[in-house]
Amino acid sequence: MFTDKLILRIPGPTPIPPRVQLAMSQPMIGHRSGKFSALFARTAERLKPYFGTTQDVYILAGSGTSALETGVVNTLQPGDEAAVLISGAFGERFAKICERYGVIAHRLEVPWGEAVTPELVEAFLKEKPQVKAVFATYCETSTGVQNPIAELAKTIRTHSDALFIVDAVSCLGAVACEMDAWGVDIVVTGSQKAFMLPTGLAFLAASERAWKVIEANKPLAFYLDLKAYRKSLADQTTPYTPAVSLIFGLAEVLDILDEEGLPAIIKRHELMRDMTRAAMRALNVNLMAEDAYAAATVTSCDPQGAFDAEALRKVLTKQYNITIAGGQQHMKGKIFRIGHMGYCEPLDVLQVISAIEMSLHQIGAPVELGAGVKAAQEVLIAHV
């Protein structure tokens, strides 16, 4: 086994295409040069279709969490009230950011593995008519749930004047996002998931309605002040030092995505999801999310005591150089999560499923070798 041939199948960071790695190795250029300004402006413009917006997309040097925080500090003030829709670990992060800045966060929580439904949101907003923003997670990485953002947006617009702010960190670029058509006010994401880059870039787009609020607010942060980014983007630059090499890589990523086309990208991720879920069912492994709300980018599996999830992960890593993710918070050590996004295709899914079958056999779990692979193959063949 080649020890340097690592196979990463976690829900981020994801593998980086070789041509993107090569693009990032270009010689450094001045971040205030005309060459960089032209590249930066062109690259920011090319992000718009993946957000489903005609609004500007802002690029920050920071992780996905910096984008979440940007969404909070530019739209709310201390003492304001917000509704936070929580279906896992990352919804809770939005609530913690709100509270750090003195915002009153009203939590609407559902059990891990369930989605937030429009009916729940409607009832919650009737109880909390004073909220100024509603925060939601599009793909809840900790559970493999993909919340129905389009339906939630419609409900929020119907029953509230609150802004709708969405964390799409672990799915944008792999799933449909129609920010303008759906009526979402702010969408944020990061570079290390479906955008196939290292951690270090955050992206954000805001609606005209959101901008009216942002312009009227006193910014709570310096580095994350969106008004500064808006002013700088008009001059084809950033207010603070950009991550130049990552922008080189992002331009190459957008070439790759544009070559495949967003409709095909979405279908590929749905296919990999369906293959993975069919395989796990064939292996009698419980899936955390219902089919209707299953994420296209990550599948969470709960053995429910049938075998040790951590033992499975250890064998995968030691014997096959394959890394899958474990559980978070109260699910730590209990579940495992398979990432299938970005630089990943159906044959990669067959590889990881085959290795999971062998690892299950090695840890003594009841498994029929080939059952999961066969189920996944049948999904793939039907698609082809």
Side-chain angles (χ1 to χ4, degrees):
M1 183 170 63
F2 296 106
T3 58
D4 63 341
K5 191 176 181 181
L6 304 177
I7 301 166
L8 195 61
R9 292 288 166 253
I10 62 175
T14 61
I16 302 170
R19 58 189 275 196
V20 175
Q21 292 178 325
L22 185 62
M24 291 188 294
S25 69
Q26 295 178 67
M28 186 57 59
I29 61 175
H31 66 288
R32 300 303 182 205
S33 66
K35 182 178 181 180
F36 179 75
S37 289
L39 172 67
F40 183 78
R42 184 170 64 251
T43 303
E45 181 72 18
R46 294 176 67 193
L47 284 166
K48 291 181 180 181
Y50 298 94
F51 282 76
T53 187
T54 59
Q55 299 296 320
D56 286 332
V57 178
Y58 301 93
I59 304 174
L60 292 71
S63 70
T65 300
S66 73
L68 305 186
E69 191 161 339
T70 300
V72 172
V73 299
N74 286 275
T75 58
L76 296 168
Q77 299 285 285
D80 285 348
E81 298 186 35
V84 185
L85 314 182
I86 301 174
S87 54
F90 292 93
E92 178 63 27
R93 183 169 295 183
F94 251 146
K96 290 178 179 177
I97 295 170
C98 286
E99 290 168 344
R100 179 63 61 90
Y101 286 95
V103 173
I104 300 167
H106 299 291
R107 291 167 165 82
L108 170 57
E109 299 189 53
V110 298
W112 284 37
E114 295 184 13
V116 180
T117 64
E119 294 76 18
L120 288 172
V121 172
E122 179 181 346
F124 195 71
L125 289 176
K126 287 178 180 178
E127 295 175 1
K128 309 291 182 184
Q130 66 276 33
V131 301
K132 293 187 176 181
V134 179
F135 296 91
T137 309
Y138 196 163
C139 171
E140 179 48 72
T141 322
S142 62
T143 64
V145 167
Q146 192 164 298
N147 284 302
I149 295 300
E151 291 83 356
L152 295 180
K154 182 179 180 180
T155 298
I156 292 164
R157 281 296 183 91
T158 301
H159 298 284
S160 173
D161 292 325
L163 298 178
F164 188 30
I165 300 172
V166 173
D167 164 9
V169 170
S170 60
C171 64
L172 197 78
V175 301
C177 181
E178 297 293 341
M179 175 180 155
D180 293 352
W182 294 348
V184 179
D185 292 293
I186 292 179
V187 173
V188 304
T189 193
S191 56
Q192 76 278 16
K193 306 278 187 172
F195 283 100
M196 303 181 288
L197 285 165
T199 306
L201 292 180
F203 313 124
L204 181 148
S207 69
E208 292 181 8
R209 204 166 76 104
W211 271 111
K212 290 179 181 178
V213 173
I214 294 166
E215 292 286 1
N217 277 351
K218 178 182 178 181
L220 300 180
F222 179 81
Y223 184 73
L224 303 179
D225 180 1
L226 268 180
K227 284 181 275 192
Y229 286 88
R230 190 183 209 186
K231 182 176 182 296
S232 292
L233 185 59
D235 296 325
Q236 298 188 333
T237 188
T238 57
Y240 315 109
T241 307
V244 176
S245 295
L246 289 175
I247 300 299
F248 284 145
L250 177 60
E252 189 67 29
V253 164
L254 291 168
D255 284 346
I256 294 172
L257 297 180
D258 290 351
E259 287 163 12
E260 185 176 5
L262 186 55
I265 293 169
I266 292 169
K267 288 181 180 179
R268 171 166 56 86
H269 283 86
E270 291 174 345
L271 172 60
M272 294 190 294
R273 172 201 63 198
D274 294 346
M275 290 172 64
T276 304
R277 292 176 68 81
M280 292 303 105
R281 285 198 171 102
L283 296 172
N284 296 313
V285 176
N286 183 64
L287 297 163
M288 288 191 70
E290 298 177 20
D291 286 345
Y293 302 112
T297 52
V298 56
T299 297
S300 289
C301 305
D302 184 358
Q304 297 183 329
F307 57 86
D308 186 334
E310 288 302 294
L312 168 66
R313 294 179 62 226
K314 288 177 182 177
V315 172
L316 278 170
T317 300
K318 184 177 180 181
Q319 298 293 325
Y320 305 108
N321 266 6
I322 294 177
T323 302
I324 62 173
Q328 296 176 304
Q329 296 185 13
H330 67 282
M331 299 304 290
K332 187 174 183 179
K334 298 179 181 179
I335 67 171
F336 64 93
R337 297 175 295 143
I338 305 166
H340 35 78
M341 79 174 94
Y343 191 51
C344 184
E345 57 187 353
L347 291 182
D348 295 321
V349 173
L350 292 178
Q351 178 190 50
V352 73
I353 291 168
S354 176
I356 286 173
E357 288 183 345
M358 292 185 290
S359 298
L360 287 171
H361 178 75
Q362 288 174 258
I363 65 173
V367 59
E368 179 186 347
L369 291 176
V373 171
K374 179 176 182 291
Q377 287 173 330
E378 289 172 345
V379 172
L380 177 56
I381 289 170
H383 175 82
V384 173

Short mmCIF file of all heavy atoms in Angstrom, two decimals, residues 117-158:
data_model
loop_
_atom_site.label_atom_id
_atom_site.label_comp_id
_atom_site.label_asym_id
_atom_site.label_seq_id
_atom_site.Cartn_x
_atom_site.Cartn_y
_atom_site.Cartn_z
N THR A 117 -39.11 21.65 9.09
CA THR A 117 -40.17 21.74 8.08
C THR A 117 -40.82 23.12 8.08
O THR A 117 -40.78 23.85 9.08
CB THR A 117 -41.25 20.68 8.37
OG1 THR A 117 -41.87 20.98 9.64
CG2 THR A 117 -40.66 19.28 8.39
N PRO A 118 -41.44 23.49 6.97
CA PRO A 118 -42.14 24.78 6.91
C PRO A 118 -43.21 24.92 7.98
O PRO A 118 -43.41 26.02 8.51
CB PRO A 118 -42.75 24.77 5.50
CG PRO A 118 -41.85 23.89 4.71
CD PRO A 118 -41.42 22.81 5.67
N GLU A 119 -43.89 23.83 8.30
CA GLU A 119 -44.96 23.89 9.31
C GLU A 119 -44.40 24.28 10.67
O GLU A 119 -45.00 25.09 11.40
CB GLU A 119 -45.68 22.54 9.40
CG GLU A 119 -46.46 22.15 8.15
CD GLU A 119 -45.59 21.67 7.00
OE1 GLU A 119 -44.41 21.31 7.24
OE2 GLU A 119 -46.08 21.65 5.87
N LEU A 120 -43.25 23.72 11.02
CA LEU A 120 -42.62 24.06 12.28
C LEU A 120 -42.20 25.53 12.31
O LEU A 120 -42.37 26.23 13.31
CB LEU A 120 -41.40 23.17 12.53
CG LEU A 120 -41.65 21.71 12.87
CD1 LEU A 120 -40.34 20.93 12.87
CD2 LEU A 120 -42.34 21.59 14.23
N VAL A 121 -41.66 25.99 11.20
CA VAL A 121 -41.20 27.39 11.13
C VAL A 121 -42.37 28.35 11.20
O VAL A 121 -42.30 29.38 11.89
CB VAL A 121 -40.38 27.61 9.84
CG1 VAL A 121 -40.05 29.08 9.65
CG2 VAL A 121 -39.09 26.78 9.90
N GLU A 122 -43.43 28.04 10.51
CA GLU A 122 -44.61 28.90 10.55
C GLU A 122 -45.12 29.07 11.98
O GLU A 122 -45.38 30.19 12.45
CB GLU A 122 -45.72 28.33 9.67
CG GLU A 122 -47.00 29.17 9.69
CD GLU A 122 -48.10 28.58 8.81
OE1 GLU A 122 -47.80 27.69 7.99
OE2 GLU A 122 -49.26 29.02 8.96
N ALA A 123 -45.25 27.96 12.69
CA ALA A 123 -45.74 28.03 14.09
C ALA A 123 -44.76 28.80 14.97
O ALA A 123 -45.17 29.59 15.83
CB ALA A 123 -45.95 26.61 14.62
N PHE A 124 -43.48 28.60 14.75
CA PHE A 124 -42.46 29.26 15.57
C PHE A 124 -42.47 30.77 15.34
O PHE A 124 -42.37 31.56 16.29
CB PHE A 124 -41.09 28.69 15.22
CG PHE A 124 -40.01 29.02 16.21
CD1 PHE A 124 -39.99 28.44 17.47
CD2 PHE A 124 -39.00 29.91 15.88
CE1 PHE A 124 -39.00 28.74 18.38
CE2 PHE A 124 -38.00 30.22 16.78
CZ PHE A 124 -37.99 29.63 18.04
N LEU A 125 -42.61 31.19 14.09
CA LEU A 125 -42.62 32.62 13.78
C LEU A 125 -43.85 33.30 14.35
O LEU A 125 -43.80 34.49 14.71
CB LEU A 125 -42.53 32.84 12.28
CG LEU A 125 -41.18 32.50 11.64
CD1 LEU A 125 -41.25 32.66 10.13
CD2 LEU A 125 -40.08 33.38 12.21
N LYS A 126 -44.95 32.60 14.42
CA LYS A 126 -46.15 33.17 15.03
C LYS A 126 -45.94 33.43 16.52
O LYS A 126 -46.49 34.38 17.09
CB LYS A 126 -47.34 32.24 14.81
CG LYS A 126 -47.84 32.25 13.36
CD LYS A 126 -49.00 31.29 13.16
CE LYS A 126 -49.48 31.33 11.70
NZ LYS A 126 -50.59 30.35 11.45
N GLU A 127 -45.10 32.61 17.14
CA GLU A 127 -44.78 32.80 18.56
C GLU A 127 -43.72 33.87 18.77
O GLU A 127 -43.62 34.47 19.84
CB GLU A 127 -44.27 31.49 19.16
CG GLU A 127 -45.29 30.36 19.20
CD GLU A 127 -44.67 29.06 19.69
OE1 GLU A 127 -43.45 29.07 20.02
OE2 GLU A 127 -45.38 28.05 19.75
N LYS A 128 -42.90 34.12 17.73
CA LYS A 128 -41.78 35.07 17.83
C LYS A 128 -41.87 36.10 16.71
O LYS A 128 -40.99 36.20 15.85
CB LYS A 128 -40.44 34.31 17.73
CG LYS A 128 -40.30 33.11 18.67
CD LYS A 128 -40.19 33.54 20.11
CE LYS A 128 -39.99 32.32 21.03
NZ LYS A 128 -39.98 32.70 22.46
N PRO A 129 -42.90 36.92 16.69
CA PRO A 129 -43.09 37.85 15.58
C PRO A 129 -42.06 38.98 15.53
O PRO A 129 -41.96 39.67 14.52
CB PRO A 129 -44.49 38.42 15.83
CG PRO A 129 -44.68 38.30 17.32
CD PRO A 129 -43.97 37.02 17.70
N GLN A 130 -41.28 39.12 16.57
CA GLN A 130 -40.32 40.23 16.66
C GLN A 130 -38.95 39.89 16.09
O GLN A 130 -38.07 40.75 16.06
CB GLN A 130 -40.16 40.69 18.12
CG GLN A 130 -39.52 39.68 19.04
CD GLN A 130 -40.52 38.65 19.63
OE1 GLN A 130 -41.48 38.27 18.98
NE2 GLN A 130 -40.25 38.24 20.86
N VAL A 131 -38.73 38.67 15.62
CA VAL A 131 -37.40 38.31 15.13
C VAL A 131 -37.07 39.10 13.87
O VAL A 131 -37.94 39.32 13.01
CB VAL A 131 -37.25 36.80 14.87
CG1 VAL A 131 -37.50 36.00 16.14
CG2 VAL A 131 -38.15 36.32 13.74
N LYS A 132 -35.82 39.52 13.77
CA LYS A 132 -35.36 40.31 12.62
C LYS A 132 -34.60 39.47 11.60
O LYS A 132 -34.36 39.94 10.49
CB LYS A 132 -34.49 41.46 13.10
CG LYS A 132 -35.28 42.51 13.91
CD LYS A 132 -34.41 43.72 14.21
CE LYS A 132 -35.23 44.80 14.92
NZ LYS A 132 -34.41 46.01 15.20
N ALA A 133 -34.21 38.27 11.99
CA ALA A 133 -33.51 37.39 11.05
C ALA A 133 -33.78 35.94 11.43
O ALA A 133 -33.94 35.62 12.61
CB ALA A 133 -32.01 37.67 11.05
N VAL A 134 -33.84 35.10 10.41
CA VAL A 134 -33.97 33.66 10.61
C VAL A 134 -32.73 33.01 9.99
O VAL A 134 -32.39 33.28 8.84
CB VAL A 134 -35.23 33.10 9.93
CG1 VAL A 134 -35.31 31.58 10.13
CG2 VAL A 134 -36.48 33.78 10.47
N PHE A 135 -32.07 32.16 10.78
CA PHE A 135 -30.85 31.50 10.33
C PHE A 135 -31.13 30.01 10.15
O PHE A 135 -31.77 29.38 11.00
CB PHE A 135 -29.72 31.67 11.36
CG PHE A 135 -29.28 33.10 11.53
CD1 PHE A 135 -29.88 33.92 12.48
CD2 PHE A 135 -28.28 33.63 10.74
CE1 PHE A 135 -29.48 35.24 12.64
CE2 PHE A 135 -27.87 34.95 10.89
CZ PHE A 135 -28.48 35.76 11.84
N ALA A 136 -30.62 29.46 9.06
CA ALA A 136 -30.82 28.03 8.79
C ALA A 136 -29.58 27.45 8.14
O ALA A 136 -28.76 28.16 7.56
CB ALA A 136 -32.03 27.82 7.88
N THR A 137 -29.46 26.14 8.25
CA THR A 137 -28.37 25.39 7.63
C THR A 137 -28.94 24.59 6.47
O THR A 137 -29.88 23.81 6.65
CB THR A 137 -27.72 24.45 8.65
OG1 THR A 137 -27.38 25.18 9.82
CG2 THR A 137 -26.47 23.80 8.08
N TYR A 138 -28.38 24.79 5.29
CA TYR A 138 -28.88 24.08 4.10
C TYR A 138 -28.57 22.59 4.24
O TYR A 138 -29.47 21.75 4.26
CB TYR A 138 -28.23 24.67 2.86
CG TYR A 138 -28.92 24.33 1.54
CD1 TYR A 138 -28.64 25.07 0.39
CD2 TYR A 138 -29.83 23.28 1.42
CE1 TYR A 138 -29.25 24.78 -0.83
CE2 TYR A 138 -30.44 22.99 0.21
CZ TYR A 138 -30.14 23.73 -0.91
OH TYR A 138 -30.74 23.44 -2.11
N CYS A 139 -27.31 22.24 4.32
CA CYS A 139 -26.91 20.85 4.54
C CYS A 139 -26.31 20.75 5.93
O CYS A 139 -25.27 21.36 6.20
CB CYS A 139 -25.91 20.39 3.49
SG CYS A 139 -25.18 18.77 3.86
N GLU A 140 -26.95 20.02 6.82
CA GLU A 140 -26.44 19.84 8.18
C GLU A 140 -25.45 18.68 8.15
O GLU A 140 -25.84 17.52 8.16
CB GLU A 140 -27.58 19.59 9.15
CG GLU A 140 -27.15 19.36 10.59
CD GLU A 140 -26.17 20.39 11.11
OE1 GLU A 140 -26.57 21.54 11.34
OE2 GLU A 140 -24.98 20.03 11.30
N THR A 141 -24.17 19.04 8.11
CA THR A 141 -23.11 18.05 7.92
C THR A 141 -23.10 16.99 9.00
O THR A 141 -22.72 15.84 8.76
CB THR A 141 -21.74 18.75 7.89
OG1 THR A 141 -21.87 19.99 7.20
CG2 THR A 141 -20.71 17.90 7.20
N SER A 142 -23.48 17.35 10.21
CA SER A 142 -23.38 16.41 11.33
C SER A 142 -24.40 15.29 11.24
O SER A 142 -24.23 14.25 11.89
CB SER A 142 -23.55 17.17 12.65
OG SER A 142 -24.82 17.79 12.73
N THR A 143 -25.45 15.47 10.44
CA THR A 143 -26.52 14.47 10.39
C THR A 143 -26.82 13.97 8.98
O THR A 143 -27.56 13.00 8.81
CB THR A 143 -27.82 15.05 10.97
OG1 THR A 143 -28.25 16.14 10.14
CG2 THR A 143 -27.63 15.52 12.40
N GLY A 144 -26.29 14.65 7.95
CA GLY A 144 -26.61 14.26 6.58
C GLY A 144 -27.99 14.68 6.15
O GLY A 144 -28.55 14.12 5.20
N VAL A 145 -28.54 15.70 6.79
CA VAL A 145 -29.87 16.22 6.45
C VAL A 145 -29.73 17.46 5.57
O VAL A 145 -28.93 18.35 5.87
CB VAL A 145 -30.67 16.57 7.72
CG1 VAL A 145 -31.90 17.41 7.38
CG2 VAL A 145 -31.08 15.30 8.45
N GLN A 146 -30.51 17.51 4.52
CA GLN A 146 -30.56 18.68 3.64
C GLN A 146 -31.92 19.34 3.85
O GLN A 146 -32.95 18.81 3.44
CB GLN A 146 -30.38 18.25 2.18
CG GLN A 146 -30.13 19.39 1.22
CD GLN A 146 -29.59 18.88 -0.10
OE1 GLN A 146 -28.51 18.28 -0.17
NE2 GLN A 146 -30.33 19.09 -1.18
N ASN A 147 -31.90 20.49 4.51
CA ASN A 147 -33.15 21.16 4.85
C ASN A 147 -33.80 21.78 3.60
O ASN A 147 -33.09 22.21 2.68
CB ASN A 147 -32.89 22.24 5.90
CG ASN A 147 -32.68 21.64 7.28
OD1 ASN A 147 -33.54 20.93 7.80
ND2 ASN A 147 -31.53 21.90 7.88
N PRO A 148 -35.14 21.84 3.56
CA PRO A 148 -35.86 22.33 2.37
C PRO A 148 -35.85 23.86 2.31
O PRO A 148 -36.85 24.51 2.61
CB PRO A 148 -37.27 21.77 2.58
CG PRO A 148 -37.43 21.71 4.08
CD PRO A 148 -36.06 21.36 4.61
N ILE A 149 -34.74 24.43 1.88
CA ILE A 149 -34.53 25.87 1.95
C ILE A 149 -35.55 26.65 1.13
O ILE A 149 -36.05 27.70 1.56
CB ILE A 149 -33.10 26.22 1.52
CG1 ILE A 149 -32.10 25.62 2.52
CG2 ILE A 149 -32.91 27.73 1.43
CD1 ILE A 149 -32.25 26.10 3.95
N ALA A 150 -35.88 26.18 -0.06
CA ALA A 150 -36.85 26.90 -0.89
C ALA A 150 -38.20 27.02 -0.18
O ALA A 150 -38.81 28.10 -0.15
CB ALA A 150 -37.01 26.20 -2.23
N GLU A 151 -38.65 25.92 0.40
CA GLU A 151 -39.93 25.93 1.11
C GLU A 151 -39.87 26.77 2.38
O GLU A 151 -40.82 27.49 2.71
CB GLU A 151 -40.36 24.50 1.44
CG GLU A 151 -40.75 23.67 0.23
CD GLU A 151 -39.55 23.05 -0.48
OE1 GLU A 151 -38.40 23.31 -0.08
OE2 GLU A 151 -39.76 22.30 -1.46
N LEU A 152 -38.75 26.70 3.08
CA LEU A 152 -38.60 27.50 4.29
C LEU A 152 -38.59 28.99 3.95
O LEU A 152 -39.18 29.81 4.67
CB LEU A 152 -37.30 27.12 5.01
CG LEU A 152 -37.22 25.70 5.57
CD1 LEU A 152 -35.88 25.48 6.26
CD2 LEU A 152 -38.35 25.40 6.53
N ALA A 153 -37.93 29.35 2.85
CA ALA A 153 -37.88 30.75 2.44
C ALA A 153 -39.29 31.28 2.16
O ALA A 153 -39.64 32.40 2.56
CB ALA A 153 -37.00 30.90 1.22
N LYS A 154 -40.08 30.48 1.47
CA LYS A 154 -41.45 30.90 1.15
C LYS A 154 -42.26 31.11 2.42
O LYS A 154 -43.01 32.10 2.55
CB LYS A 154 -42.11 29.85 0.26
CG LYS A 154 -43.53 30.20 -0.17
CD LYS A 154 -44.10 29.12 -1.08
CE LYS A 154 -45.52 29.47 -1.51
NZ LYS A 154 -46.10 28.41 -2.40
N THR A 155 -42.10 30.21 3.38
CA THR A 155 -42.83 30.31 4.64
C THR A 155 -42.40 31.57 5.41
O THR A 155 -43.24 32.30 5.95
CB THR A 155 -42.57 29.06 5.50
OG1 THR A 155 -43.07 27.92 4.80
CG2 THR A 155 -43.26 29.17 6.85
N ILE A 156 -41.11 31.81 5.46
CA ILE A 156 -40.60 32.97 6.20
C ILE A 156 -41.09 34.26 5.56
O ILE A 156 -41.52 35.20 6.27
CB ILE A 156 -39.06 32.92 6.26
CG1 ILE A 156 -38.63 31.75 7.14
CG2 ILE A 156 -38.48 34.23 6.80
CD1 ILE A 156 -37.18 31.35 6.98
N ARG A 157 -41.05 34.35 4.24
CA ARG A 157 -41.53 35.55 3.56
C ARG A 157 -43.03 35.78 3.78
O ARG A 157 -43.50 36.91 3.85
CB ARG A 157 -41.23 35.45 2.06
CG ARG A 157 -39.79 35.78 1.68
CD ARG A 157 -39.46 37.24 2.01
NE ARG A 157 -38.13 37.63 1.61
CZ ARG A 157 -37.81 38.15 0.44
NH1 ARG A 157 -38.74 38.32 -0.48
NH2 ARG A 157 -36.57 38.48 0.18
N THR A 158 -43.78 34.68 3.88
CA THR A 158 -45.22 34.79 4.05
C THR A 158 -45.60 35.23 5.45
O THR A 158 -46.57 35.99 5.65
CB THR A 158 -45.90 33.43 3.73
OG1 THR A 158 -45.58 33.05 2.40
CG2 THR A 158 -47.41 33.52 3.89
#
